[in-house]
């Protein structure tokens, strides 16, 4: 079992930055691929970024490439999402997720076994 707790969300003006964190319980964090998803009101959950358990490979949603960076610290059992140049359309509830698979499956919710409760990000125009 893996328990995930997100933090770092908040209200920010367009063009600003936020850094989300996701702390994981358990001793096997380094065995899991980690992902970030988001869900805006009235919309489906959307893949944002993923990182391989080794940290050597990452995948991004096209609309966040160059603005968002996913990283992990396996010694701290934590994955991060650095979000720069935020836009109002980035407003959503952001979730982190953990799974044991890699490949194209990590861009979909079915690629993950564990989910956090989410942290709200609101970008004002």
């Amino acid at each position: 079992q893996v328990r995930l707790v997100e933090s770092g969300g908040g209200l920010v003006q367009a063009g600003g930055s936020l850094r989300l964190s996701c702390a994981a319980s358990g001793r096997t964090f380094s065995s899991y691929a980690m992902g970030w998803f988001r869900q805006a009101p009235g919309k489906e959950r959307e893949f944002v970024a993923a990182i391989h358990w080794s940290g050597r490979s990452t995948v991004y949603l096209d609309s966040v490439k160059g603005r968002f960076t996913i990283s992990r610290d396996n010694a701290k059992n934590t994955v991060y999402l650095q979000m720069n140049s935020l836009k109002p359309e980035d407003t959503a509830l952001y979730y982190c997720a953990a799974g044991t698979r890699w490949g194209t499956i990590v861009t979909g919710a079915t690629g993950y076994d564990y989910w956090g409760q989410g942290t709200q990000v609101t970008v004002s125009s």
Side-chain angles (χ1 to χ4, degrees), residues 6 12 20 30 33 35 39 51 57 64-65 86 90 94 99 114 118:
E6 303 95 335
V12 64
L20 304 184
S30 61
Q39 188 166 19
I51 187 166
S57 183
V64 308
K65 284 180 181 176
L86 282 161
D90 294 318
Y94 281 71
Y114 302 101

Side-chain angles (χ1 to χ4, degrees), residues 4 17 20 22 38 51 58-60 68 76 79 97 102 111 114:
L4 304 172
S17 298
L20 304 184
C22 173
R38 65 187 181 187
I51 187 166
T58 57
V59 183
Y60 293 94
F68 290 11
K76 295 182 178 180
V79 62
W102 189 251
Y114 302 101

